[in-house]
Amino acid sequence: MKKLAMIGCGGIGGYHLEHLVQFKDIVELAGFCDLIPEKAEKFCEIAGSGKAYTDYKTMYDEVKPDMVFICIPPYCHGEIEYETIGRGI
């Protein structure tokens, strides 16, 4: 089973999560990260699994995901993707 993490627990993240929960037999929804802790916690509730984070690097260290959905506003892209690629995710 592959571990999936998600960064950004807003509208776009919610859209993807709605679909991802249908694949829980092949994907472990392992970690959710948002600057607002309550949003990440809500995604854990919806997924029925995973751990909430406010720091994506900590999430990467603990969860060790195989794949990541990066669901953040366009102006926030850059550093997160470089870190993700650098870790081989």
Side-chain angles (χ1 to χ4, degrees):
M1 184 170 299
K2 300 290 184 180
K3 286 185 181 181
L4 183 141
M6 184 177 289
I7 301 171
C9 299
I12 296 299
Y15 171 82
H16 290 300
L17 182 60
E18 181 180 313
H19 296 90
L20 290 167
V21 295
Q22 298 174 45
F23 299 98
K24 289 170 55 171
D25 57 326
I26 58 172
V27 176
E28 178 185 348
L29 304 174
F32 299 96
C33 182
D34 198 278
L35 294 175
I36 301 169
E38 294 81 13
K39 287 186 173 187
E41 291 164 4
K42 181 67 176 175
F43 272 44
C44 290
E45 288 177 29
I46 294 168
S49 64
K51 184 175 175 185
Y53 295 89
T54 55
D55 181 277
Y56 73 95
K57 291 179 184 177
T58 301
M59 179 176 71
Y60 285 177
D61 290 341
E62 292 183 11
V63 171
K64 300 187 185 340
D66 298 298
M67 59 190 121
V68 180
F69 271 57
I70 301 173
C71 305
I72 57 176
Y75 65 86
C76 296
H77 287 278
E79 179 184 330
I80 294 172
E81 285 81 1
Y82 288 122
E83 180 71 25
T84 305
I85 293 165
R87 291 176 181 244
I89 304 170

